[in-house]
Amino acid sequence: MAKKTTAMIAPTPDAHDLWKVSVGSHHDPHSILGAHEVPGGVVFRTFKPLARQVFVQLSGGLEVELQHLQHGIWQGALATKSVPDYRIRATYDNDAQWLVDDPYHYPPTISEFDLHLIREGRHEELWQALGSHVHTVQSALGDAVGVRFAVWAPNAQAVRVVGDFNHWNGVAHSMRAMGASGIWEIFIPGIGVGTKYKYDILSREGHWATKIDPLARATEVPPATASVVVASNHKWADAKWLTARAERDPLKAPMSIYELHLGSWRPGLNYRTIADELIEYVNYLGFTHVEFMPLAEHPYAPSWGYQVTGYYAPTSRFGSPDDFKYLIDRLHQAGIGVILDWVPAHFPKDEWALARFDGRPLYEHEDPRRGEHPDWGTYIFDFGRTEVRNFLVANALYWIEEFHIDGLRVDAVASMLYLDYSRKADEWLPNQYGGRENLDAIAFMQETNATVYKRNPGVMMIAEESTSWGGVSAPTDGGGLGFGFKWNMGWMHDTLEYIQKNPMYRRYHHGELTFSMLYAYNENFVLPISHDEVVHGKGSLLAKMPGDRWQQLANLRAFLAYMWAHPGKQLLFMGSEFGQLSEWSSERGLDWWITEQPSHSAIQSLVVALNRLYTENPALFELDHSPEGFTWIDGGNAGANTVSFLRHDSAGNPIAVVVNFAGNPHHDFWLGLPVEGQWQEVLNTDATEFGGSGVGNGGFVTAGGEGAQGQPFHAQITVPPLGAVWLKPVGAPKTAVKKKAPAKKKAEAKDN
């Protein structure tokens, strides 16, 4: 039998405070509940509204009986010199007894240093401080295992945790405000991994709203929306990859990217089951990286992940966070890099998510001229607010450091850069200097990029930026945005416009094919043929090509060879690698059946060859971002619909590229070359193995004689119709003595 102690008379709190505690609206319930030193001893208070009797149980079997004050709050006192460890024993009308731990007798689990960093906007590991975390507190009565919760809600009057553990009634789990930081905190013992929860938030205007945790690391499977407590047990095995990544210069390394939408690549697969199939396929094709369309949690699947509500939670549609880590780990062990789409430009207005989080604009800018996207019906982050900027900077670090992501492709950068983006004249607010530049967003991107690169050498920040903004991939210390790469949207637009023209009209649009070289070194470019180009009525990449099916396939082969040879890294969206006929839809899988047709499996074979040659030849990647890596042989042959150029590596080793976008072959085609002797035809897109007609050069051409097109030698070659030829010197290149080309010597080719 428990030993009863002699109680002392304890002071009684203000009645209004007791009422506020009982309804869960007190900003500091820990100041009322729990154990508190008072003159002569310690007072205990607990909230047990349905109990008949309540005791504080101490070590050694000692108990203090508590008396009911009001509104379900019980109180008792003990003459002792310090606060002891204790538990609460409550008896109910059915004689049921419960022995429980008391969340209000624990000190804060968030440190003053964390609070300082959050106030300064410099907490680079914010996810370690905020959100939900399984936590253990050492205790004389046995270690207390539970979950610590912390959330930023500076405009709230009160915040309480609701979940499946308290029947979604949070009056017994109100959080305390941590001073002026705007952070609310509580440690709840007795719960753990798998707990579903949200926050009830009382606004300044007196309205309660139930919200997800902005830093939850997992959620329920949509359409359910609760946050979920998780703890990682994944043991990484990619140390070799990470070590090599830190020593790698992405600008000088090969990078061909396979972009995919995980849900429709092969429907029904999850993070774990996709690993084997994706690795086998990507390694077969020879891509160096995969890029996943956004995998942060999002409520509306047809948004493809670009309407994010859970910025710190991988979508639960495909498994747990550890399942996602497993996929990335497996890809790394197979030598495949991982890029993830990241969406800091906007977020949806769902009332249970970030929108008006604590009753007022918090994550979003309060002025709709800066805080809302008219096209997308979403909110825009308040990039000038310290805590919001910290939330996003830390989020970028979270994906890279917790999930070992190798690069983030940042979506919709242009929408962040310009205050008047997609707005009428009276719908935007100029900056402090009267300009259209979003200075806060610029500073945010610079801080994000600088911080990511400082902490994680070898990773990549890639901007999807669709305007001519200068210095996107320039260093921040020189005023640039600090990205490592920028998507070359101009190249994408121009080349697709060109390639869709009938060959007989292409001569009039030749500049669209060559214009990209006028600005090729202004930024560090990625050449994207992404999901955006094969959806919403645009048709598949193959369907863009003119002519009959043979011509479409030939056009596609020539286009891919041109893309892989052009300066810049390559990105190709899934399905294009085998010439999918139909437009992509996220609602169904790719048309894998078509790869059983020889003409389409041959496109796959071409992509395999392109990636193999690309990764084996530094001339095709090492100087992607330097003028020394490219030389026109003839970029102006509009009449023949051809372009020819040289790619070089840092040692001067060349590869010659000729692409014929005409519907007829060119025989006895004069091609200026820098090296005398045999050149191997390392690629011919018209080869029969790629589904072509077999027009070519028998595997080799010979350069010599007089010069042509500014090169000291020439070869007379055959260029196939709608085809591309890559040539490489055989053996060690001979030193060339530059000869003057004949004044009127041109490539011999008939017009279309």
Side-chain angles (χ1 to χ4, degrees):
M1 180 178 290
K3 302 175 183 177
K4 303 297 190 295
T5 63
T6 302
M8 55 173 280
I9 298 175
T12 301
D14 177 78
H16 185 64
D17 280 337
L18 292 176
W19 174 80
K20 291 181 72 175
V21 167
S22 72
V23 297
S25 64
H26 201 288
H27 75 285
D28 187 12
H30 292 71
S31 66
I32 306 297
L33 303 177
H36 303 272
E37 293 184 358
V38 295
V42 173
V43 63
F44 302 93
R45 299 190 195 96
T46 188
F47 180 56
K48 294 290 180 283
L50 301 178
R52 189 178 68 200
Q53 281 184 304
V54 180
F55 298 88
V56 167
Q57 190 176 88
L58 308 171
S59 61
L62 297 177
E63 286 189 339
V64 176
E65 185 172 3
L66 307 186
Q67 304 299 316
H68 183 252
L69 291 177
Q70 61 183 50
H71 307 302
I73 298 175
W74 298 72
Q75 174 177 287
L78 176 67
T80 183
K81 294 182 179 179
S82 60
V83 176
D85 193 17
Y86 69 92
R87 301 290 184 266
I88 301 294
R89 181 171 69 87
T91 303
Y92 295 86
D93 285 339
N94 59 1
D95 291 328
Q97 293 195 27
W98 291 88
L99 183 66
V100 296
D101 203 349
D102 181 7
Y104 294 100
H105 91 283
Y106 290 100
T109 55
I110 186 169
S111 71
E112 286 295 330
F113 185 58
D114 284 326
L115 296 176
H116 169 75
L117 291 176
I118 292 170
R119 285 193 297 267
E120 294 290 316
R122 299 295 179 187
H123 204 308
E124 295 177 358
E125 297 180 3
L126 187 66
W127 67 92
Q128 303 285 14
L130 301 184
S132 60
H133 299 267
V134 176
H135 186 66
T136 300
V137 179
Q138 292 184 335
S139 166
L141 293 177
D143 290 352
V145 179
V147 177
R148 59 180 176 91
F149 297 90
V151 64
W152 179 58
N155 297 309
Q157 290 193 67
V159 182
R160 55 200 189 195
V161 184
V162 297
D164 54 4
F165 62 96
N166 60 17
H167 306 289
W168 301 95
N169 184 337
V171 294
H173 295 104
S174 295
M175 307 175 80
R176 64 177 143 208
M178 300 299 295
S181 68
I183 305 298
W184 300 76
E185 182 272 350
I186 192 172
F187 169 68
I188 302 177
I191 62 175
V193 170
T195 298
K196 299 173 184 176
Y197 71 98
K198 289 185 178 181
Y199 296 115
D200 272 352
I201 299 176
L202 181 61
S203 71
R204 292 280 178 87
E205 291 70 34
H207 305 298
W208 286 100
T210 303
K211 297 283 191 174
I212 61 169
D213 186 347
L215 278 95
R217 290 170 295 155
T219 72
E220 290 184 285
V221 178
T225 58
S227 303
V228 179
V229 177
V230 292
S232 180
N233 295 306
H234 181 77
K235 305 298 182 185
W236 288 97
D238 63 347
K240 182 179 179 180
W241 171 271
L242 295 183
T243 299
R245 185 184 76 181
E247 298 172 352
R248 178 176 178 265
D249 181 356
L251 295 177
K252 297 181 179 180
M255 184 166 69
S256 59
I257 305 165
Y258 184 65
E259 185 194 22
L260 70 149
H261 177 262
L262 194 149
S264 61
W265 187 71
R266 289 190 185 274
L269 299 179
N270 58 38
Y271 293 131
R272 288 186 179 268
T273 57
I274 198 176
D276 286 339
E277 293 189 40
L278 183 61
I279 289 169
E280 180 181 12
Y281 188 63
V282 172
N283 273 338
Y284 159 66
L285 293 174
F287 285 96
T288 65
H289 291 71
V290 295
E291 178 175 322
F292 292 109
M293 291 168 66
L295 289 172
E297 195 58 88
H298 51 284
Y300 185 54
S303 78
W304 312 331
Y306 292 98
Q307 303 274 0
V308 178
T309 49
Y311 274 81
Y312 286 78
T315 179
S316 55
R317 292 171 175 84
F318 309 116
S320 70
D322 270 7
D323 293 335
F324 186 38
K325 290 179 180 179
Y326 169 85
L327 172 58
I328 298 166
D329 204 351
R330 287 286 311 281
L331 286 163
H332 282 172
Q333 292 173 54
I336 301 167
V338 182
I339 300 167
L340 182 66
D341 277 14
W342 185 52
V343 192
H346 61 119
F347 61 93
K349 295 182 177 180
D350 299 79
E351 61 182 11
W352 45 266
L354 298 183
R356 305 295 193 259
F357 185 74
D358 56 7
R360 296 183 178 182
L362 185 65
Y363 287 92
E364 66 272 37
H365 199 287
E366 63 181 353
D367 191 322
R369 292 173 294 178
R370 290 194 181 179
E372 296 188 32
H373 265 305
D375 286 351
W376 303 330
T378 54
Y379 285 130
I380 301 172
F381 283 103
D382 185 354
F383 300 110
R385 184 158 190 168
T386 299
E387 297 91 344
V388 174
R389 190 172 65 249
N390 193 171
F391 173 83
L392 292 171
V393 173
N395 187 241
L397 294 170
Y398 173 74
W399 292 108
I400 291 169
E401 297 180 9
E402 289 291 314
F403 291 89
H404 295 194
I405 295 294
D406 301 296
L408 295 177
R409 176 268 195 185
V410 184
D411 182 64
V413 169
S415 75
M416 293 187 278
L417 288 174
Y418 299 99
L419 295 167
D420 63 345
Y421 181 86
S422 193
R423 296 177 186 273
K424 298 177 182 177
D426 59 346
E427 293 178 344
W428 63 283
L429 188 66
N431 63 33
Q432 64 201 65
Y433 304 109
R436 60 197 285 253
E437 301 81 11
N438 190 333
L439 303 180
D440 292 332
I442 292 168
F444 152 68
M445 285 183 271
Q446 290 174 325
E447 180 181 347
T448 301
N449 291 325
T451 306
V452 164
Y453 283 122
K454 174 190 69 175
R455 290 173 60 109
N456 300 278
V459 302
M460 298 171 289
M461 296 295 290
I462 305 167
E464 186 221 12
E465 203 285 307
S466 56
T467 74
S468 58
W469 185 282
V472 172
S473 58
T476 57
D477 57 9
L481 295 183
F483 287 94
F485 293 93
K486 172 184 172 175
W487 273 21
N488 194 336
M489 308 296 280
W491 172 89
M492 176 275 297
H493 178 270
D494 289 346
T495 52
L496 289 183
E497 282 289 313
Y498 175 86
I499 203 68
Q500 292 179 75
K501 300 288 191 300
N502 187 297
M504 71 173 58
Y505 302 120
R506 284 175 177 169
R507 68 174 68 184
Y508 307 112
H509 301 272
H510 195 76
E512 293 173 358
L513 194 62
T514 60
F515 183 69
S516 60
M517 289 311 302
L518 295 179
Y519 59 87
Y521 308 110
N522 293 352
E523 303 280 0
N524 303 324
F525 283 121
V526 171
L527 310 178
I529 299 297
S530 73
H531 63 277
D532 280 329
E533 312 319 317
V534 295
V535 74
H536 295 326
K538 296 178 183 177
S540 70
L541 185 59
L542 179 65
K544 298 179 193 298
M545 307 298 166
D548 59 25
R549 184 53 46 79
W550 189 95
Q551 291 169 324
Q552 286 182 312
L553 291 165
N555 258 304
L556 177 59
R557 294 192 300 268
F559 174 80
L560 292 175
Y562 171 69
M563 176 180 175
W564 253 252
H566 191 286
K569 314 305 181 183
Q570 300 84 33
L571 177 142
L572 189 66
F573 185 61
M574 64 182 196
S576 298
E577 79 280 6
F578 58 76
Q580 170 147 322
L581 293 172
S582 59
E583 183 176 271
W584 171 63
S585 170
S586 62
E587 302 301 312
R588 59 180 179 80
L590 297 178
D591 297 335
W592 291 106
W593 59 270
I594 207 171
T595 60
E596 297 176 5
Q597 297 185 11
S599 59
H600 288 269
S601 64
I603 299 292
Q604 285 179 310
S605 297
L606 173 66
V607 172
V608 171
L610 289 172
N611 278 324
R612 176 181 57 79
L613 290 167
Y614 172 71
T615 55
E616 288 177 354
N617 291 279
L620 294 170
F621 61 79
E622 192 176 38
L623 297 178
D624 266 330
H625 311 292
S626 170
E628 287 74 27
F630 179 92
T631 303
W632 279 117
I633 297 174
D634 189 354
N637 198 347
N641 287 350
T642 64
V643 289
S644 53
F645 52 86
L646 296 166
R647 296 297 308 276
H648 313 273
D649 62 19
S650 57
N653 297 307
I655 285 184
V657 177
V658 187
V659 188
N660 175 22
F661 288 111
N664 57 279
H666 300 320
H667 299 289
D668 297 323
F669 186 92
W670 274 58
L671 180 69
L673 291 172
V675 177
E676 187 175 22
Q678 272 200 323
W679 288 62
Q680 183 182 1
E681 189 178 55
V682 294
L683 179 76
N684 182 341
T685 63
D686 196 51
T688 55
E689 65 179 299
F690 303 138
S693 58
V695 175
N697 299 280
F700 294 91
V701 302
T702 301
E706 56 186 309
Q709 298 147 331
Q711 299 299 321
F713 307 104
H714 83 276
Q716 288 179 271
I717 71 171
T718 296
V719 188
L722 300 174
V725 171
W726 292 1
L727 303 169
K728 180 180 178 180
V730 175
K734 301 175 183 177
T735 302
V737 178
K738 191 167 185 178
K739 301 179 182 179
K740 186 176 181 180
K744 296 185 178 181
K745 182 64 69 176
K746 297 182 179 179
E748 300 294 337
K750 295 182 179 179
D751 292 348
N752 290 292

